[in-house]
């Protein structure tokens, strides 16, 4: 696999001098992050957002962007929203959410679906538009209500027998749990390694939550919630992720049964939990932020995407991360924090081992196994999680990465101010 990817990449002459000059330097032309916010991540069908529609979650983060930045909404020119599950890609309800939040109809909007990297793809799209002077100010966002969208409807109901007789095409239909098992089997990732990683994710997230380390990135959201037993509806304010297990042990994880395959090694505990949430990132050029007197959280350096075999798509970060680092002139050890989406413990354990990343640099506040993985939201959520942690620890460079359904990986480099 590694040789094949290198052969493909080798056909291209990479020109990254411009990007290299920007790492560690400040330019008026830098694309910077001014605001990065997210809702709490809550368990789908069980959590506090189980009765909240995706457009309501999205409207909440749009409003928060306006409130925190105090920017004139008329200055925002384009919005990209990562969204995976809703009909029509969620484009209609996303547009409605922007208007409801107070963003004028002069601002354009689109939704983007690159599966689990959709939120990061949305941020990258807006960053690219700003870098190319297509717009001055934009929002990259992501949202998913897996309460309302997840299940049988997430996969095509009618497929072409001819197309899907091709094995790599058929592999695109594999459930993600089976893909986790494939990664574990192909690369020797043990049940014990997966359980240990998952347990540590919850421990780190619980410690971060107890210390208030998520407060800068999370906006409290008021929502309607119906009691499952009585049906009584009340208004609640949600301010914390609700999937983090505050007390967990490796012995507890060891008792869980395989979730996807008889005799398998992936359990519900070593998988990201199905969840609901939204996130939004306000971007512009440094010169624009300075002109408007806005604080700068960090700057967007570059993003890269790669393709990998669909049957083991969990390995995506192991190839996307080297690609984006090569294009920015950086090495594995130059990065201070890696936010790698924990779709499953098996694939993150493999990617970290494959790349030789210091485990202490990976998801220091826990990851999706503890926090949750609302598909279209996660990439945008990671921006706020990363930048605030870089700032808190007085570190500079961070990487966001994830595996992507259908056999892909995506990664981006950001630098804290």
């Amino acid at each position: 696999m590694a040789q094949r990817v290198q052969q493909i990449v080798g056909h291209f002459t990479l020109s990254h001098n411009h990007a290299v000059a920007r790492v560690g330097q400040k330019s008026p032309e830098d694309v910077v992050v001014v605001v990065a916010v997210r809702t709490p991540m809550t368990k789908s069908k069980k959590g506090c957002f189980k009765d909240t529609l995706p457009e309501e979650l999205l409207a909440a983060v749009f409003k928060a962007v306006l409130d925190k930045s105090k920017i004139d909404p008329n200055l925002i020119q384009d919005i990209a929203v990562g969204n995976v599950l809703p009909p029509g890609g969620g484009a209609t309800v996303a547009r409605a959410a922007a208007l409801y939040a107070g963003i004028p109809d002069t601002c354009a909007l689109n939704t983007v679906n690159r599966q689990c990297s959709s939120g990061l793809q949305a941020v990258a799209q807006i960053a690219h538009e700003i870098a190319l002077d297509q717009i001055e100010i934009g929002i990259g966002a992501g949202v998913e209500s897996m309460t309302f969208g997840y299940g049988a409807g997430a996969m095509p109901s009618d497929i072409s027998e001819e197309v899907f007789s091709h094995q790599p095409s058929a592999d695109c239909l594999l459930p993600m749990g089976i893909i986790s098992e494939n990664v574990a089997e192909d690369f020797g990732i043990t049940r014990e390694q997966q359980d240990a990683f998952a347990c540590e994710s919850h421990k780190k997230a619980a410690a971060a939550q107890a210390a208030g380390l998520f407060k800068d990135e999370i906006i409290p959201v008021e929502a309607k919630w119906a009691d499952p037993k009585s049906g009584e509806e009340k208004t609640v304010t949600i301010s914390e992720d609700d999937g983090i297990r505050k007390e967990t042990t490796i012995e507890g994880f060891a008792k869980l049964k395989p979730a996807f395959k008889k005799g398998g090694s992936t359990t519900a505990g070593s998988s990201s939990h199905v969840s609901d949430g939204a996130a939004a990132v306000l971007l512009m050029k440094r010169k624009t932020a300075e002109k408007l007197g806005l604080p700068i959280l960090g700057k967007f350096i570059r993003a890269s995407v790669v393709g990998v075999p669909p049957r083991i798509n969990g390995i995506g970060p192991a190839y996307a991360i080297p690609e984006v680092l090569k294009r920015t002139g950086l090495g594995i050890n130059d990065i201070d924090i890696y936010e790698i989406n924990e779709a499953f413990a098996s694939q993150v354990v493999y990617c970290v081992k494959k790349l030789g990343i210091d485990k202490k640099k990976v998801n220091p506040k826990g990851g999706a196994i503890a926090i949750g993985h609302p598909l279209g939201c996660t990439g945008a959520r990671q921006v706020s999680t990363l930048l605030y942690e870089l700032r808190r620890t007085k570190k500079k460079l961070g990487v966001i990465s994830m595996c992507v359904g259908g056999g892909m990986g995506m990664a981006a480099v950001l630098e804290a101010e």
Side-chain angles (χ1 to χ4, degrees):
M1 172 63 201
Q3 184 178 8
R4 183 173 72 84
V5 170
Q6 291 304 319
Q7 287 173 344
I8 294 170
V9 173
H11 286 299
F12 298 93
T13 301
L14 301 180
S15 175
H16 53 250
N17 290 334
H18 178 61
V20 171
R22 289 173 56 189
V23 174
Q25 300 178 16
K26 292 183 179 180
S27 162
E29 300 301 312
D30 288 337
V31 178
V32 299
V33 174
V34 171
V35 173
V37 295
R38 69 175 180 94
T39 69
M41 307 288 112
T42 71
K43 294 179 182 178
S44 88
K45 300 186 186 299
K46 298 178 181 178
C48 293
F49 289 148
K50 70 179 182 65
D51 301 307
T52 304
L53 290 161
E55 57 266 34
E56 295 169 323
L57 295 172
L58 192 56
V61 290
F62 285 157
K63 287 181 178 180
V65 165
L66 298 180
D67 291 343
K68 283 181 173 287
S69 67
K70 307 300 182 187
I71 192 172
D72 178 354
N74 291 287
L75 297 177
I76 302 170
Q77 295 165 284
D78 198 10
I79 297 172
V81 179
N83 207 195
V84 176
L85 298 173
T92 299
V93 296
R95 173 66 167 166
L99 298 172
Y100 175 78
I103 297 171
D105 58 14
T106 52
C107 176
L109 180 144
N110 75 290
T111 55
V112 57
N113 181 358
R114 199 193 286 275
Q115 304 286 14
C116 299
S117 66
S118 298
L120 181 57
Q121 184 63 50
V123 173
Q125 177 192 313
I126 294 299
H128 296 159
E129 289 181 25
I130 293 168
L132 293 172
D133 293 321
Q134 293 177 321
I135 62 171
E136 293 229 9
I137 299 172
I139 296 174
V143 64
E144 209 73 64
S145 171
M146 297 179 80
T147 292
F148 290 96
Y150 193 60
M155 296 298 285
S157 55
D158 299 306
I159 60 172
S160 164
E161 290 185 10
E162 180 178 350
V163 170
F164 286 93
S165 66
H166 180 58
Q167 189 57 53
S169 301
D171 289 342
C172 291
L173 298 177
L174 286 173
M176 286 301 299
I178 296 301
I179 289 170
S180 174
E181 293 287 0
N182 290 344
V183 170
E185 291 174 11
D186 285 12
F187 302 104
I189 307 302
T190 67
R191 165 71 186 264
E192 291 73 22
Q193 287 174 307
Q194 294 175 62
D195 287 349
F197 182 89
C199 186
E200 187 65 17
S201 180
H202 279 280
K203 286 182 176 179
K204 289 188 290 187
Q209 190 175 66
L213 303 189
F214 293 118
K215 287 185 177 179
D216 285 334
E217 62 189 79
I218 292 178
I219 55 153
V221 178
E222 192 176 88
K224 295 291 178 65
W225 181 81
D227 186 294
K229 293 181 180 179
S230 68
E232 180 185 357
E233 187 179 273
K234 58 183 178 180
T235 300
V236 295
T237 299
I238 302 96
S239 58
E240 287 191 339
D241 304 318
D242 70 8
I244 300 170
R245 298 173 187 169
K246 295 179 172 61
E247 295 182 8
T248 187
T249 64
I250 193 68
E251 292 78 16
F253 276 94
K255 293 177 182 178
L256 297 173
K257 295 180 180 180
F260 306 102
K261 181 179 178 181
K262 186 176 181 180
S265 59
T266 298
T267 70
S270 57
S271 310
S272 56
H273 58 81
V274 180
S275 47
D276 307 328
V281 181
L282 179 64
L283 301 110
M284 61 191 69
K285 284 192 177 179
R286 182 183 300 278
K287 62 185 180 183
T288 306
E290 290 175 347
K291 181 180 177 181
L292 296 174
L294 295 171
I296 295 172
L297 282 176
K299 65 180 178 181
F300 182 95
I301 303 295
R302 180 167 286 205
S304 291
V305 292
V306 300
V308 298
R311 70 171 294 277
I312 50 171
N313 75 42
I315 70 173
Y319 295 90
I321 290 172
E323 180 68 10
V324 78
L325 292 181
K326 176 163 53 176
R327 290 179 176 270
T328 51
L330 297 167
I332 290 289
N333 294 328
D334 293 325
I335 303 303
D336 297 305
I337 295 176
Y338 287 87
E339 280 290 332
I340 302 177
N341 186 44
E342 298 170 0
F344 296 90
S346 63
Q347 48 92 205
V348 184
V349 170
Y350 167 75
C351 292
V352 171
K353 183 178 179 181
K354 167 77 173 175
L355 297 177
I357 299 173
D358 182 347
K359 294 178 183 178
K360 294 179 181 177
K361 294 183 175 183
V362 179
N363 301 348
K365 294 188 288 191
I369 286 173
I371 297 170
H373 175 30
L375 304 177
C377 164
T378 290
R381 188 275 295 172
Q382 288 174 299
V383 174
S384 59
T385 301
L386 174 65
L387 288 179
Y388 279 113
E389 183 64 8
L390 285 170
R391 170 174 282 199
R392 184 185 74 84
T393 56
K394 296 180 170 58
K395 295 176 180 177
K396 296 296 290 184
L397 287 172
V399 161
I400 291 168
S401 188
M402 66 282 291
C403 62
V404 181
M408 291 171 278
M410 187 170 186
V413 177
L414 289 91
E415 183 176 1
E417 292 287 302

